[in-house]
């Protein structure tokens, strides 16, 4: 649903004008996010210490999570938290190495799917006892 | 989820529905802990679009086929304005009628998230060379689009042009109708149909970062759904005058009609299939989604179909809504020209 049905003729004209070459060259926004700060890091640490595993998942997925927090959460008792660590694109390779032997196949699968997974780790997961993990390895090798 | 309306201190009992300046200004005691928990989770999930390096996908965009680029353009024309539409629905159709401070906190965060999603799609439009007017116009000539737009216009006009009297059964029922239209149908079924197409690029080793952006958005949407469903159930539990058999049948029919509209739309838009998907495949997923929503509303499944897309697998915990780990099973591949 494009919502064009809601627009007046003047609004459609404005839409057309905003698509013109000149107008399109001016970005709507700088798309900046608030800068990283000590306070933000402290916040992620506090989330990582939550008794609620759903909050710890958010910490594990955070792009601002410091490496030591990710190391700690890689050993979380809750598999869903460990999956989020493996899924976090900013998780360092050293932490991925730790997760490659995780008992949960979904964790191992997310390691295989990680953009920074080293090829030797992929080779190892290519022989994983779980068929779905091996399938993720096939997919992961499809990235140029 | 046990709901206990509390005393207003003046001998009356108040529930989740209410208006007036004197209500909803005190956070403690929290009456609806589920709303407070969702607020905490939403705050913990906070993210920003530029944290995703979308520019790294430009190489993929250049290599994509015309059909694939058209699919991406089509998606942007769908999602971008609809996030703002949902924001309007929340501002005019939900927030003014909810009484509890903890619910207001969550709604405020949800409205920010809709804005964040809108800016995320703006980020896509300004990163990839997509013509904005062409993107918006891509829907105009699709006949089944008019039916979907007419459906949503009906409810958004009521939300923005009328004031509900929620002291009456009719007013409360209108509140629930509006919520079903925007939260359950638009966000909970139609959006997910679009997410399936959006995430199918990554399945084909394309637009990895765009896929990450969609992951973040879906993570937010799972909480939006949870809040909306809980709100509907709470209203029904606290207001037994609302949940008549006739009204229940009407709500269920709204969902079934929405499925029909979405199926017609997908057939119009994907006559030949794209990205390894065809209309039948997506529409089976739409029916699966509708069954989940009906189940969550207490109706039980209607269509009884299995999820055809393991990569859109849901778990009991809707925070794990998207799991592309299961997608790599080759059973998801379909002949695009089937059906």
């Amino acid at each position: 649903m494009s919502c064009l049905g809601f627009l007046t003729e003047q609004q459609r004209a404005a839409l057309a004008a905003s698509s013109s070459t000149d107008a399109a060259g001016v970005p709507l926004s700088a798309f900046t996010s608030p800068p990283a700060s000590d306070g933000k890091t402290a916040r992620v640490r506090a989330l990582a210490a939550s008794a609620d595993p759903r909050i710890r998942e958010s910490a594990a997925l955070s792009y601002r999570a410091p490496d030591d927090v990710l190391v700690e959460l890689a050993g979380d008792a809750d598999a869903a938290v460990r999956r989020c660590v493996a899924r976090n694109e900013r998780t360092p390779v050293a932490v991925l190495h730790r997760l490659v032997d995780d008992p949960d196949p979904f964790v191992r699968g997310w390691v295989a799917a990680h953009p920074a997974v080293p090829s030797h780790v992929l080779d190892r997961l290519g022989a994983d006892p779980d068929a779905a993990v091996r399938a993720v390895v096939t997919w992961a090798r499809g990235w140029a | 989820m046990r709901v206990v309306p509390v005393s207003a201190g003046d001998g009356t009992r108040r529930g989740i529905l209410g208006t007036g300046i004197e209500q909803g200004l005190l956070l403690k005691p929290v009456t609806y802990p589920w709303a407070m928990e969702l607020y905490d989770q939403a705050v913990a999930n906070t993210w920003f679009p530029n944290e995703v390096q979308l520019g790294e996908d430009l190489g993929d965009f250049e290599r994509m086929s015309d059909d694939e680029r058209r699919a991406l353009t089509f998606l942007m024309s769908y999602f971008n304005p609809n996030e703002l539409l949902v924001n309007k629905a929340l501002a005019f159709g939900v927030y003014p009628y909810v009484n509890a401070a903890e619910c207001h906190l969550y709604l405020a965060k949800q409205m920010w998230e809709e804005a964040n999603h809108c800016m995320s799609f703006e980020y896509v439009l300004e990163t990839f060379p997509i013509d904005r007017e062409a993107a918006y116009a891509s829907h105009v000539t699709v006949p089944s689009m008019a039916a979907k737009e007419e459906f949503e216009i009906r409810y958004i006009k009521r939300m923005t042009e009328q004031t509900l009297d929620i002291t009456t059964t009719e007013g409360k029922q209108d509140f629930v109708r509006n919520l079903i239209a925007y939260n359950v149908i638009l966000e909970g079924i139609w959006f997910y149909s679009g997410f399936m197409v959006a995430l199918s690029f990554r399945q084909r080793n394309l637009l990895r970062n765009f896929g990450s952006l969609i992951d973040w958005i879906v993570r937010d949407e799972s909480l939006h759904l949870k809040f909306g469903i809980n709100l509907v159930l709470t209203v029904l539990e606290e207001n037994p005058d609302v949940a008549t058999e006739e009204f229940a049948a009407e709500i269920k029919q709204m969902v079934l009609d929405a499925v029909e509209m979405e199926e017609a739309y997908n057939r119009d838009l994907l006559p030949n299939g794209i990205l390894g998907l065809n209309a039948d495949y997506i529409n089976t997923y739409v029916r699966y989604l509708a069954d989940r929503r009906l189940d969550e509303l207490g109706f039980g499944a209607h269509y009884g179909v299995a999820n055809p897309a393991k990569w859109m697998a849901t778990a009991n915990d809707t925070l794990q809504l998207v799991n592309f780990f299961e997608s790599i099973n080759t059973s998801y591949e379909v002949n695009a020209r089937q059906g």
Side-chain angles (χ1 to χ4, degrees):
Chain A
M1 185 167 67
S2 71
C3 296
L4 269 191
F6 301 165
L7 300 182
T8 64
E9 284 306 314
Q10 290 79 10
Q11 286 172 323
R12 292 188 191 212
L15 173 62
S18 73
S19 298
S20 70
T21 306
D22 287 343
V26 178
L28 181 72
S29 167
F31 297 107
T32 52
S33 54
S37 64
D38 290 345
K40 292 216 170 30
T41 305
R43 175 177 165 267
V44 174
R45 288 189 187 284
L47 295 177
S50 172
D52 186 341
R54 294 170 299 187
I55 301 296
R56 297 201 304 276
E57 285 179 32
S58 295
L61 283 172
S62 173
Y63 289 164
R64 308 221 184 275
D67 288 358
D68 64 294
V69 167
L70 292 170
V71 167
E72 169 123 8
L73 293 176
D76 198 281
D78 194 304
V81 176
R82 301 195 307 272
R83 290 175 199 173
C84 288
V85 175
R87 194 173 171 171
N88 188 337
E89 291 152 17
R90 309 266 171 103
T91 291
V93 171
V95 179
L96 295 181
H97 277 292
R98 183 175 167 176
L99 292 170
V100 77
D101 292 314
D102 197 282
D104 185 286
F106 286 89
V107 174
R108 300 195 304 272
W110 282 115
V111 171
H114 197 279
V117 64
S119 56
H120 69 273
V121 171
L122 268 189
D123 290 342
R124 188 168 157 198
L125 290 170
D128 196 277
D130 191 284
V133 175
R134 296 196 301 273
V136 176
V137 171
T138 303
W139 169 83
R141 286 185 171 135
W143 291 102
Chain B
M1 179 188 66
R2 186 155 177 271
V3 171
V4 180
V6 296
S7 169
D10 57 358
T12 63
R13 299 187 78 79
R14 67 173 175 85
I16 203 164
L17 288 181
T19 59
I21 190 73
E22 67 278 4
Q23 301 296 346
L25 293 178
L26 292 177
L27 191 51
K28 282 190 165 184
V30 169
T31 311
Y32 305 99
W34 53 264
M36 205 62 235
E37 285 170 18
L38 285 172
Y39 175 77
D40 281 343
Q41 288 170 48
V43 170
N45 286 349
T46 302
W47 59 279
F48 297 90
N50 75 314
E51 292 172 339
V52 175
Q53 303 306 310
L54 208 54
E56 292 176 2
D57 287 352
L58 271 170
D60 284 349
F61 187 85
E62 299 304 321
R63 284 192 295 274
M64 278 157 58
S65 67
D66 287 344
D67 271 353
E68 289 166 340
R69 276 197 284 267
R70 259 195 298 274
L72 184 66
T73 301
F74 157 72
L75 278 174
M76 292 305 102
S77 74
Y78 177 73
F79 281 124
N80 202 345
N82 274 289
E83 300 287 358
L84 293 174
L85 197 63
V86 174
N87 229 356
K88 258 192 203 289
L90 292 170
F92 291 100
V94 183
Y95 193 108
Y97 303 107
V98 171
N99 214 5
E102 57 271 30
C103 291
H104 285 157
L105 291 183
Y106 180 80
L107 285 167
K109 183 56 165 61
Q110 181 179 349
M111 288 177 66
W112 179 81
E113 288 170 4
E114 305 298 357
N116 199 38
H117 296 174
C118 176
M119 291 307 290
S120 298
F121 294 122
E122 204 53 50
Y123 179 43
V124 173
L125 283 170
E126 296 200 7
T127 301
F128 297 120
I130 295 173
D131 182 274
R132 185 182 298 266
E133 187 184 16
Y136 274 64
S138 69
H139 278 87
V140 173
T141 58
V142 178
S144 52
M145 175 62 76
K148 288 176 66 173
E149 288 207 346
E150 192 281 326
F151 176 85
E152 293 298 343
I153 286 171
R154 198 186 325 151
Y155 293 95
I156 195 69
K157 277 179 80 70
R158 178 162 64 200
M159 287 186 212
T160 53
E161 296 174 4
Q162 295 177 25
T163 300
L164 301 182
D165 182 355
I166 53 167
T167 64
T168 66
T169 301
E170 293 72 29
K172 293 174 212 171
Q173 288 178 334
D174 274 347
F175 176 83
V176 172
R177 288 186 184 99
N178 292 342
L179 205 50
I180 296 291
Y182 273 84
N183 180 269
V184 175
I185 290 173
L186 180 60
E187 284 196 281
I189 298 176
W190 291 355
F191 270 20
Y192 276 86
S193 182
F195 292 145
M196 170 184 264
V197 178
L199 289 168
S200 66
F201 291 99
R202 186 169 59 188
Q203 302 314 110
R204 298 155 59 90
N205 295 111
L206 289 169
L207 304 181
R208 182 173 220 154
N209 295 284
F210 175 71
S212 295
L213 196 68
I214 299 296
D215 278 347
W216 284 112
I217 290 169
V218 173
R219 191 171 173 83
D220 291 343
E221 292 293 341
S222 70
L223 295 190
H224 298 177
L225 263 176
K226 206 166 212 173
F227 181 87
I229 297 273
N230 281 353
L231 182 55
V232 168
L233 295 177
T234 303
V235 169
L236 295 178
E237 185 162 344
E238 291 179 351
N239 301 275
D241 56 312
V242 171
T244 62
E245 275 191 31
E246 189 181 41
F247 186 64
E250 180 193 331
I251 295 303
K252 181 173 177 178
Q253 195 57 48
M254 273 179 74
V255 175
L256 301 183
D257 289 346
V259 169
E260 260 188 55
M261 282 186 262
E262 187 69 6
E263 288 178 335
Y265 169 75
N266 285 328
R267 281 192 293 270
D268 281 345
L269 284 164
L270 301 170
N272 299 312
I274 48 168
L275 306 172
L277 306 170
N278 62 27
D280 284 347
Y281 183 79
I282 298 179
N283 286 341
T284 304
Y285 180 64
V286 170
R287 291 183 167 213
Y288 169 77
L289 278 173
D291 272 352
R292 287 194 59 80
R293 303 299 164 245
L294 289 169
D295 206 39
E296 287 156 2
L297 289 169
F299 289 108
H302 175 80
Y303 298 101
V305 299
N307 180 7
K310 298 299 183 188
W311 49 286
M312 293 292 285
T314 59
N316 289 333
D317 178 354
T318 55
L319 291 176
Q320 295 292 332
L321 196 65
V322 177
N323 183 353
F324 80 82
F325 169 83
E326 293 189 7
S327 72
I328 316 306
N329 187 318
T330 54
S331 65
Y332 89 88
E333 290 284 355
V334 295
N335 182 334
R337 291 188 179 277
Q338 278 173 359

Short mmCIF file of all heavy atoms in Angstrom, two decimals, chain B residues 235-272:
data_model
loop_
_atom_site.label_atom_id
_atom_site.label_comp_id
_atom_site.label_asym_id
_atom_site.label_seq_id
_atom_site.Cartn_x
_atom_site.Cartn_y
_atom_site.Cartn_z
N VAL B 235 -8.68 -5.52 27.04
CA VAL B 235 -9.94 -4.80 26.86
C VAL B 235 -11.11 -5.78 26.91
O VAL B 235 -12.13 -5.53 27.56
CB VAL B 235 -9.94 -4.03 25.52
CG1 VAL B 235 -11.33 -3.50 25.19
CG2 VAL B 235 -8.94 -2.88 25.56
N LEU B 236 -10.95 -6.91 26.25
CA LEU B 236 -12.04 -7.89 26.21
C LEU B 236 -12.29 -8.47 27.60
O LEU B 236 -13.44 -8.68 27.99
CB LEU B 236 -11.70 -9.01 25.22
CG LEU B 236 -11.61 -8.59 23.75
CD1 LEU B 236 -11.21 -9.77 22.87
CD2 LEU B 236 -12.91 -7.98 23.25
N GLU B 237 -11.22 -8.73 28.34
CA GLU B 237 -11.39 -9.33 29.65
C GLU B 237 -12.05 -8.35 30.63
O GLU B 237 -12.89 -8.72 31.44
CB GLU B 237 -10.04 -9.79 30.20
CG GLU B 237 -10.17 -10.52 31.53
CD GLU B 237 -8.95 -11.35 31.86
OE1 GLU B 237 -8.12 -11.60 30.96
OE2 GLU B 237 -8.83 -11.75 33.04
N GLU B 238 -11.65 -7.09 30.53
CA GLU B 238 -12.18 -6.09 31.47
C GLU B 238 -13.57 -5.59 31.07
O GLU B 238 -14.27 -4.99 31.90
CB GLU B 238 -11.22 -4.88 31.53
CG GLU B 238 -9.89 -5.18 32.19
CD GLU B 238 -8.98 -3.96 32.20
OE1 GLU B 238 -9.31 -2.94 31.56
OE2 GLU B 238 -7.93 -4.04 32.87
N ASN B 239 -13.95 -5.81 29.84
CA ASN B 239 -15.22 -5.27 29.34
C ASN B 239 -16.03 -6.39 28.71
O ASN B 239 -16.11 -6.51 27.48
CB ASN B 239 -14.96 -4.16 28.31
CG ASN B 239 -14.17 -3.02 28.88
OD1 ASN B 239 -14.71 -2.10 29.49
ND2 ASN B 239 -12.85 -3.06 28.70
N PRO B 240 -16.65 -7.23 29.52
CA PRO B 240 -17.40 -8.37 28.98
C PRO B 240 -18.54 -7.97 28.06
O PRO B 240 -19.00 -8.78 27.27
CB PRO B 240 -17.91 -9.11 30.23
CG PRO B 240 -17.66 -8.22 31.37
CD PRO B 240 -16.66 -7.20 30.98
N ASP B 241 -18.95 -6.71 28.12
CA ASP B 241 -20.01 -6.26 27.22
C ASP B 241 -19.53 -6.18 25.77
O ASP B 241 -20.33 -6.19 24.83
CB ASP B 241 -20.52 -4.87 27.66
CG ASP B 241 -19.39 -3.84 27.73
OD1 ASP B 241 -18.33 -4.16 28.34
OD2 ASP B 241 -19.55 -2.73 27.21
N VAL B 242 -18.22 -6.13 25.59
CA VAL B 242 -17.67 -5.97 24.25
C VAL B 242 -17.66 -7.29 23.48
O VAL B 242 -18.00 -7.35 22.30
CB VAL B 242 -16.24 -5.40 24.34
CG1 VAL B 242 -15.55 -5.44 22.98
CG2 VAL B 242 -16.26 -3.99 24.89
N ALA B 243 -17.24 -8.35 24.15
CA ALA B 243 -16.96 -9.62 23.46
C ALA B 243 -18.21 -10.44 23.28
O ALA B 243 -18.34 -11.53 23.79
CB ALA B 243 -15.91 -10.39 24.22
N THR B 244 -19.16 -9.92 22.51
CA THR B 244 -20.34 -10.71 22.16
C THR B 244 -19.97 -11.69 21.06
O THR B 244 -18.96 -11.52 20.38
CB THR B 244 -21.45 -9.79 21.64
OG1 THR B 244 -20.98 -9.15 20.45
CG2 THR B 244 -21.84 -8.73 22.68
N GLU B 245 -20.81 -12.70 20.88
CA GLU B 245 -20.54 -13.67 19.81
C GLU B 245 -20.53 -12.98 18.45
O GLU B 245 -19.70 -13.29 17.59
CB GLU B 245 -21.61 -14.75 19.82
CG GLU B 245 -21.30 -15.86 20.80
CD GLU B 245 -22.21 -17.06 20.63
OE1 GLU B 245 -22.66 -17.32 19.49
OE2 GLU B 245 -22.50 -17.71 21.66
N GLU B 246 -21.43 -12.04 18.30
CA GLU B 246 -21.53 -11.33 17.02
C GLU B 246 -20.25 -10.53 16.76
O GLU B 246 -19.71 -10.52 15.65
CB GLU B 246 -22.73 -10.38 17.09
CG GLU B 246 -23.09 -9.72 15.78
CD GLU B 246 -24.28 -8.78 15.98
OE1 GLU B 246 -24.32 -8.06 17.00
OE2 GLU B 246 -25.15 -8.77 15.09
N PHE B 247 -19.75 -9.86 17.79
CA PHE B 247 -18.53 -9.05 17.62
C PHE B 247 -17.33 -9.94 17.34
O PHE B 247 -16.49 -9.63 16.50
CB PHE B 247 -18.30 -8.18 18.85
CG PHE B 247 -17.16 -7.21 18.69
CD1 PHE B 247 -17.21 -6.20 17.74
CD2 PHE B 247 -16.03 -7.30 19.49
CE1 PHE B 247 -16.15 -5.30 17.58
CE2 PHE B 247 -14.97 -6.40 19.35
CZ PHE B 247 -15.04 -5.41 18.40
N ALA B 248 -17.25 -11.05 18.06
CA ALA B 248 -16.15 -11.99 17.84
C ALA B 248 -16.16 -12.48 16.40
O ALA B 248 -15.11 -12.55 15.74
CB ALA B 248 -16.25 -13.16 18.80
N ALA B 249 -17.33 -12.80 15.89
CA ALA B 249 -17.43 -13.27 14.50
C ALA B 249 -17.01 -12.17 13.54
O ALA B 249 -16.35 -12.42 12.52
CB ALA B 249 -18.87 -13.70 14.21
N GLU B 250 -17.34 -10.93 13.87
CA GLU B 250 -16.96 -9.81 13.01
C GLU B 250 -15.44 -9.64 12.97
O GLU B 250 -14.86 -9.44 11.91
CB GLU B 250 -17.60 -8.51 13.53
CG GLU B 250 -17.24 -7.30 12.68
CD GLU B 250 -17.60 -5.99 13.36
OE1 GLU B 250 -18.56 -5.96 14.16
OE2 GLU B 250 -16.91 -4.99 13.07
N ILE B 251 -14.81 -9.74 14.13
CA ILE B 251 -13.36 -9.59 14.21
C ILE B 251 -12.66 -10.69 13.42
O ILE B 251 -11.72 -10.46 12.66
CB ILE B 251 -12.88 -9.59 15.68
CG1 ILE B 251 -13.40 -8.37 16.41
CG2 ILE B 251 -11.36 -9.67 15.76
CD1 ILE B 251 -13.02 -7.05 15.79
N LYS B 252 -13.14 -11.90 13.61
CA LYS B 252 -12.53 -13.02 12.88
C LYS B 252 -12.68 -12.80 11.37
O LYS B 252 -11.74 -13.02 10.60
CB LYS B 252 -13.18 -14.34 13.30
CG LYS B 252 -12.56 -15.54 12.59
CD LYS B 252 -13.08 -16.86 13.12
CE LYS B 252 -12.46 -18.00 12.30
NZ LYS B 252 -12.89 -19.32 12.80
N GLN B 253 -13.86 -12.33 10.96
CA GLN B 253 -14.09 -12.11 9.52
C GLN B 253 -13.19 -11.00 8.99
O GLN B 253 -12.75 -11.05 7.84
CB GLN B 253 -15.57 -11.78 9.27
CG GLN B 253 -15.98 -11.88 7.81
CD GLN B 253 -15.72 -13.24 7.21
OE1 GLN B 253 -16.06 -14.26 7.79
NE2 GLN B 253 -15.07 -13.28 6.05
N MET B 254 -12.90 -10.00 9.81
CA MET B 254 -11.96 -8.93 9.40
C MET B 254 -10.62 -9.55 9.01
O MET B 254 -10.03 -9.19 8.00
CB MET B 254 -11.71 -7.94 10.55
CG MET B 254 -12.69 -6.81 10.65
SD MET B 254 -12.32 -5.71 12.07
CE MET B 254 -10.87 -4.83 11.49
N VAL B 255 -10.15 -10.48 9.85
CA VAL B 255 -8.86 -11.11 9.58
C VAL B 255 -8.94 -11.96 8.31
O VAL B 255 -8.06 -11.90 7.45
CB VAL B 255 -8.42 -11.98 10.78
CG1 VAL B 255 -7.14 -12.74 10.46
CG2 VAL B 255 -8.21 -11.11 12.02
N LEU B 256 -10.01 -12.72 8.16
CA LEU B 256 -10.15 -13.57 6.97
C LEU B 256 -10.26 -12.71 5.70
O LEU B 256 -9.68 -13.05 4.66
CB LEU B 256 -11.37 -14.48 7.10
CG LEU B 256 -11.37 -15.43 8.30
CD1 LEU B 256 -12.59 -16.34 8.28
CD2 LEU B 256 -10.10 -16.28 8.35
N ASP B 257 -10.98 -11.62 5.77
CA ASP B 257 -11.09 -10.71 4.62
C ASP B 257 -9.72 -10.13 4.27
O ASP B 257 -9.38 -9.95 3.10
CB ASP B 257 -12.07 -9.56 4.92
CG ASP B 257 -13.51 -10.02 4.98
OD1 ASP B 257 -13.78 -11.17 4.54
OD2 ASP B 257 -14.36 -9.26 5.48
N ALA B 258 -8.95 -9.81 5.30
CA ALA B 258 -7.61 -9.25 5.08
C ALA B 258 -6.71 -10.25 4.38
O ALA B 258 -5.89 -9.88 3.54
CB ALA B 258 -6.99 -8.83 6.42
N VAL B 259 -6.87 -11.52 4.73
CA VAL B 259 -6.07 -12.57 4.07
C VAL B 259 -6.45 -12.63 2.58
O VAL B 259 -5.59 -12.69 1.71
CB VAL B 259 -6.31 -13.94 4.74
CG1 VAL B 259 -5.70 -15.07 3.90
CG2 VAL B 259 -5.71 -13.95 6.13
N GLU B 260 -7.75 -12.57 2.30
CA GLU B 260 -8.19 -12.59 0.90
C GLU B 260 -7.62 -11.42 0.11
O GLU B 260 -7.17 -11.58 -1.03
CB GLU B 260 -9.72 -12.49 0.86
CG GLU B 260 -10.42 -13.83 0.63
CD GLU B 260 -11.90 -13.66 0.39
OE1 GLU B 260 -12.25 -12.89 -0.51
OE2 GLU B 260 -12.66 -14.29 1.14
N MET B 261 -7.64 -10.25 0.73
CA MET B 261 -7.10 -9.05 0.06
C MET B 261 -5.61 -9.23 -0.21
O MET B 261 -5.12 -8.89 -1.29
CB MET B 261 -7.32 -7.82 0.93
CG MET B 261 -8.73 -7.28 0.88
SD MET B 261 -8.86 -5.73 1.79
CE MET B 261 -9.50 -6.28 3.34
N GLU B 262 -4.89 -9.74 0.76
CA GLU B 262 -3.45 -9.91 0.60
C GLU B 262 -3.14 -10.96 -0.47
O GLU B 262 -2.21 -10.80 -1.25
CB GLU B 262 -2.82 -10.30 1.93
CG GLU B 262 -1.30 -10.35 1.94
CD GLU B 262 -0.65 -8.98 1.80
OE1 GLU B 262 -1.37 -7.96 1.82
OE2 GLU B 262 0.59 -8.93 1.65
N GLU B 263 -3.93 -12.00 -0.50
CA GLU B 263 -3.71 -13.05 -1.51
C GLU B 263 -3.94 -12.50 -2.92
O GLU B 263 -3.16 -12.78 -3.84
CB GLU B 263 -4.64 -14.24 -1.24
CG GLU B 263 -4.23 -15.06 -0.02
CD GLU B 263 -5.17 -16.21 0.28
OE1 GLU B 263 -6.35 -16.15 -0.11
OE2 GLU B 263 -4.71 -17.19 0.90
N ALA B 264 -4.99 -11.73 -3.09
CA ALA B 264 -5.27 -11.12 -4.40
C ALA B 264 -4.14 -10.18 -4.80
O ALA B 264 -3.68 -10.17 -5.95
CB ALA B 264 -6.60 -10.38 -4.35
N TYR B 265 -3.67 -9.42 -3.84
CA TYR B 265 -2.57 -8.48 -4.07
C TYR B 265 -1.30 -9.21 -4.50
O TYR B 265 -0.64 -8.82 -5.47
CB TYR B 265 -2.37 -7.71 -2.77
CG TYR B 265 -1.15 -6.85 -2.65
CD1 TYR B 265 -1.07 -5.64 -3.32
CD2 TYR B 265 -0.10 -7.23 -1.83
CE1 TYR B 265 0.03 -4.83 -3.18
CE2 TYR B 265 1.01 -6.41 -1.69
CZ TYR B 265 1.06 -5.22 -2.36
OH TYR B 265 2.17 -4.42 -2.22
N ASN B 266 -0.96 -10.28 -3.81
CA ASN B 266 0.25 -11.03 -4.16
C ASN B 266 0.13 -11.68 -5.54
O ASN B 266 1.11 -11.75 -6.28
CB ASN B 266 0.55 -12.09 -3.08
CG ASN B 266 1.13 -11.47 -1.82
OD1 ASN B 266 1.83 -10.46 -1.88
ND2 ASN B 266 0.84 -12.06 -0.68
N ARG B 267 -1.09 -12.11 -5.90
CA ARG B 267 -1.26 -12.70 -7.24
C ARG B 267 -1.08 -11.63 -8.32
O ARG B 267 -0.50 -11.88 -9.37
CB ARG B 267 -2.64 -13.35 -7.36
CG ARG B 267 -2.72 -14.72 -6.70
CD ARG B 267 -4.00 -15.45 -7.10
NE ARG B 267 -5.18 -14.78 -6.57
CZ ARG B 267 -5.72 -15.05 -5.39
NH1 ARG B 267 -5.17 -15.96 -4.59
NH2 ARG B 267 -6.80 -14.41 -4.97
N ASP B 268 -1.57 -10.41 -8.04
CA ASP B 268 -1.41 -9.32 -9.01
C ASP B 268 0.06 -8.92 -9.15
O ASP B 268 0.52 -8.59 -10.25
CB ASP B 268 -2.20 -8.08 -8.56
CG ASP B 268 -3.69 -8.21 -8.87
OD1 ASP B 268 -4.05 -9.09 -9.67
OD2 ASP B 268 -4.47 -7.42 -8.32
N LEU B 269 0.78 -8.95 -8.05
CA LEU B 269 2.14 -8.42 -8.07
C LEU B 269 3.18 -9.45 -8.48
O LEU B 269 4.26 -9.09 -8.92
CB LEU B 269 2.50 -7.87 -6.69
CG LEU B 269 1.82 -6.53 -6.45
CD1 LEU B 269 1.84 -6.19 -4.98
CD2 LEU B 269 2.53 -5.43 -7.21
N LEU B 270 2.87 -10.71 -8.31
CA LEU B 270 3.87 -11.75 -8.60
C LEU B 270 3.32 -12.78 -9.58
O LEU B 270 3.34 -13.97 -9.29
CB LEU B 270 4.28 -12.45 -7.30
CG LEU B 270 4.88 -11.59 -6.21
CD1 LEU B 270 5.02 -12.38 -4.91
CD2 LEU B 270 6.25 -11.09 -6.66
N PRO B 271 2.86 -12.34 -10.74
CA PRO B 271 2.28 -13.32 -11.67
C PRO B 271 3.28 -14.36 -12.13
O PRO B 271 2.91 -15.50 -12.41
CB PRO B 271 1.79 -12.45 -12.83
CG PRO B 271 2.59 -11.20 -12.75
CD PRO B 271 2.90 -10.99 -11.29
N ASN B 272 4.55 -13.97 -12.19
CA ASN B 272 5.57 -14.90 -12.68
C ASN B 272 6.58 -15.28 -11.60
O ASN B 272 7.51 -16.03 -11.89
CB ASN B 272 6.32 -14.27 -13.86
CG ASN B 272 5.39 -13.96 -15.00
OD1 ASN B 272 4.59 -14.80 -15.39
ND2 ASN B 272 5.46 -12.74 -15.52
#
